[in-house]
Amino acid sequence: MSEATGPSVSELAVENLELVDVVTRQLESMLSVGNYDAVKRLLEPVQPVDIAESIGNLPTTLQAIAFRLLGKNEAISVYEYLDTATQQSLLTRLRSEEMREVVEEMSPDDRAQLFDELPAKVVRQLLSELSPDERKVTAELLGYEAETAGRLMTTEYIDLKEAQTAAVALEIVRRRARDTETIYSLYVTDAGRHLTGILSLRDLVTADPSARISDVMTADVLSVSTDTDQEKVARTIQRYDFLAVPVVDLENRLVGIVTVDDVIDVIEQEATRDLYAAGAVQAGDEDDYFSSDLFTVARRRVVWLAILVVASFFTSEVIAANEEVLRRVVLLAAFIPLLGGTGGNVGAQSSTVVIRGLSTQSISALGPIKAVGRELLAGALLGVLMMILVVPFAWWRGESALVGLSVGFSLLAITTLAATAGAGFPLLFDRMGLDPALMSTPFITTCTDVAGTLIYLKIADWLLTNLPQLQEAGGISTHFLPFAAF
């Protein structure tokens, strides 16, 4: 008999969505009739993240009422999970004293993230209402550049000293555990706050109580600096399976830590940006696309679309410049969309795999030159395979070798060029320090469309001039059956 297995991740996700939907409906119903005691009982067993999503789904007029019914500690946890729009809405609807307490108790990194989204006037007011210590910490975090480890980190961590015993250190952990982001990674600093070592909670608990921290810790510490890009921080935590990574300043003084929960948010944010860029859509600060107004939606799309439309003018110019070829063999025009679409698809495939390889760093072992060469050969092979499929039809449809050979040779050239460009452009952008995802699928498609049309019409023009002589020299008929093309 097979052992029973627990629900899968997808099943749990569906269950959570159903829970949020049920809680939202019941919340709205209870709040509408003023049944506040029932609301408290309803929310008592629900996790903060699910409460936050349920409150965010409520009408704006009911969000503040639902939030007021939460206990103080629960309200702080829920507020950190709310989306930015709901956080800002509550700030304007709740009393200043209520929100001051919530903002005061927020984690420094979550508070800094909130302040990033608020108008400067509101930020100044909230900063003035914070305690001196929290105001100083928040100002320090906001002083670092956006999307760096300094802006992402929290200052709530536990640091120990080398001379302390394991027993003393364990007592420090017990005393400060509730006020820190994580207790599973402990850091060792000297009198000048320089990072000198690290140890896990397991190392501390299993150590001899009289042992010195210097004997238990690991002196070889991997850290990031305050100006390290957040994506690099995420890769570091992902690569080494850290729960947190220490952040140091230019003098190697420990100033904070970045925890894995914040890294998950960064990975999601970066993935969203890459997907938007790949679709030629300008990404917003948050993944709020479907909640944005139509003007914002249009603004995010129109920039790239305008660039692509202008680029497409070159295709029109190429066709106009080769009008004589098309006039002599009108059927050539029927295959332009096929060639352009095939080239665009091949280029999009190559750019997708290369951009993903750069994102995961799996392409680093191969190297940029070999990566482009690999895609070039793949494009040529794809061209040959496509010729087998397309050339017989084009030869038959055109009732002569001209159209078939023009389409065949063009397919081989276009797929090879498209695969090379699709791989080369993202690698070039990465080398220049730009986002490889800017080499989006629509951009690659448009470029290969222009180049492919030019290649196709030039090949056709050359064959129009030289094919009769070649056929005469070789004794080849101009009216082969489709399979005779090969």
Side-chain angles (χ1 to χ4, degrees):
M1 181 181 295
S2 61
E3 295 182 0
T5 58
S8 66
V9 173
S10 59
E11 288 172 341
L12 288 173
V14 171
E15 290 176 5
N16 288 340
L17 289 174
E18 291 176 349
L19 171 64
V20 169
D21 188 47
V22 170
V23 171
T24 301
R25 290 200 304 268
Q26 293 186 7
L27 264 180
E28 185 170 0
S29 175
M30 294 172 182
L31 291 171
S32 298
V33 297
N35 194 353
Y36 302 144
D37 290 334
V39 170
K40 293 179 180 179
R41 291 194 298 270
L42 171 68
L43 297 181
E44 186 175 351
V46 184
Q47 293 293 321
V49 62
D50 294 324
I51 295 176
E53 188 170 353
S54 298
I55 291 178
N57 292 336
L58 291 173
T60 307
T61 54
L62 298 179
Q63 289 174 350
I65 300 175
F67 189 78
R68 274 199 177 101
L69 296 174
L70 299 173
K72 179 180 177 181
N73 292 334
E74 190 176 31
I76 295 167
S77 299
V78 169
Y79 192 78
E80 292 179 350
Y81 284 115
L82 290 169
D83 61 80
T84 304
T86 307
Q87 286 180 332
Q88 295 186 30
S89 174
L90 290 176
L91 280 175
T92 59
R93 290 179 175 274
L94 296 178
R95 295 193 305 270
S96 176
E97 181 61 25
E98 288 179 298
M99 291 315 303
R100 190 199 68 78
E101 291 182 6
V102 172
V103 175
E104 174 80 22
E105 297 298 328
M106 289 179 70
S107 300
D109 53 332
D110 290 325
R111 188 191 304 126
Q113 183 179 359
L114 169 64
F115 283 10
D116 259 341
E117 306 296 332
L118 295 175
K121 181 179 180 180
V122 177
V123 171
R124 285 194 296 269
Q125 178 184 347
L126 290 173
L127 277 173
S128 66
E129 295 174 351
L130 293 176
S131 64
D133 289 342
E134 295 299 330
R135 186 187 310 131
K136 179 182 178 183
V137 169
T138 305
E140 287 177 355
L141 295 184
L142 291 174
Y144 295 111
E145 289 188 23
E147 300 186 0
T148 62
R151 185 65 71 87
L152 192 64
M153 71 183 184
T154 179
T155 56
E156 295 178 340
Y157 59 88
I158 295 178
D159 58 326
L160 306 171
K161 305 301 178 184
E162 293 185 22
Q164 291 171 340
T165 64
V168 171
L170 198 55
E171 181 58 34
I172 293 174
V173 172
R174 289 195 189 99
R175 189 172 65 249
R176 297 175 56 187
R178 293 184 178 277
D179 300 323
T180 59
E181 189 88 3
T182 179
I183 63 172
Y184 300 109
S185 297
L186 309 170
Y187 305 95
V188 185
T189 58
D190 60 17
R193 289 178 34 233
H194 299 99
L195 182 63
T196 59
I198 185 174
L199 71 157
S200 67
L201 182 61
R202 175 184 294 178
D203 295 332
L204 182 60
V205 171
T206 58
D208 188 304
S210 61
R212 300 286 181 183
I213 293 298
S214 58
D215 298 327
V216 182
M217 73 179 193
T218 300
D220 187 15
V221 187
L222 183 63
S223 62
V224 297
S225 62
T226 53
D227 59 353
T228 301
D229 184 83
Q230 64 176 14
E231 191 171 3
K232 186 175 181 180
V233 177
R235 288 176 181 171
T236 301
I237 291 182
Q238 181 184 35
R239 178 179 178 84
Y240 296 99
D241 289 330
F242 288 159
L243 292 177
V245 63
V247 183
V248 297
D249 61 14
L250 295 177
E251 298 179 5
N252 198 42
R253 290 178 299 194
L254 182 63
V255 292
I257 62 172
V258 176
T259 54
V260 67
D261 59 319
D262 293 319
V263 162
I264 292 173
D265 294 336
V266 169
I267 293 173
E268 182 180 359
Q269 180 185 23
E270 296 293 340
T272 299
R273 289 180 178 178
D274 287 347
L275 285 171
Y276 279 167
V281 178
Q282 180 186 353
D285 295 330
E286 299 290 338
D287 187 15
D288 59 349
Y289 186 84
F290 292 103
S291 61
S292 303
D293 60 84
L294 289 178
F295 179 80
T296 302
V297 169
R299 177 178 57 80
R300 291 185 184 179
R301 293 186 180 187
V302 72
V303 176
W304 262 112
L305 286 178
I307 294 173
L308 297 176
V309 166
V310 171
S312 297
F313 290 161
F314 290 100
T315 303
S316 302
E317 290 300 317
V318 168
I319 293 174
N322 293 271
E323 183 181 0
E324 178 62 23
V325 178
L326 294 174
R327 187 184 62 78
R328 293 172 63 184
V329 185
V330 177
L331 192 63
L332 287 170
F335 292 92
I336 291 178
L338 182 150
L339 295 171
T342 302
N345 291 335
V346 172
Q349 290 175 337
S350 294
S351 64
T352 298
V353 297
V354 169
I355 291 171
R356 182 58 183 167
L358 288 169
S359 177
T360 60
Q361 296 186 318
S362 59
I363 202 173
S364 57
L366 188 62
I369 302 298
K370 289 184 177 180
V372 173
R374 178 184 173 87
E375 287 303 308
L376 183 151
L377 294 176
L381 178 59
L382 289 169
V384 172
L385 296 175
M386 294 300 294
M387 286 174 67
I388 296 174
L389 177 65
V390 175
V391 171
F393 172 77
W395 196 312
W396 167 76
R397 189 68 181 82
E399 298 182 351
S400 71
L402 176 66
V403 177
L405 292 177
S406 298
V407 172
F409 289 136
S410 298
L411 261 179
L412 179 61
I414 290 169
T415 55
T416 304
L417 175 65
T420 305
F425 282 155
L427 289 167
L428 176 63
F429 265 50
D430 183 64
R431 192 65 179 267
M432 295 169 60
L434 301 173
D435 186 358
L438 290 175
M439 286 293 99
S440 62
T441 297
F443 182 83
I444 296 292
T445 300
T446 302
C447 289
T448 54
D449 187 41
V450 175
T453 303
L454 178 62
I455 290 171
Y456 175 51
L457 294 178
K458 289 301 180 183
I459 288 176
D461 186 34
W462 186 88
L463 287 174
L464 272 172
T465 304
N466 298 282
L467 187 58
Q469 294 90 324
L470 293 175
Q471 290 175 326
E472 182 179 349
I476 304 173
S477 171
T478 60
H479 297 281
F480 274 100
L481 292 174
F483 59 84
F486 294 89

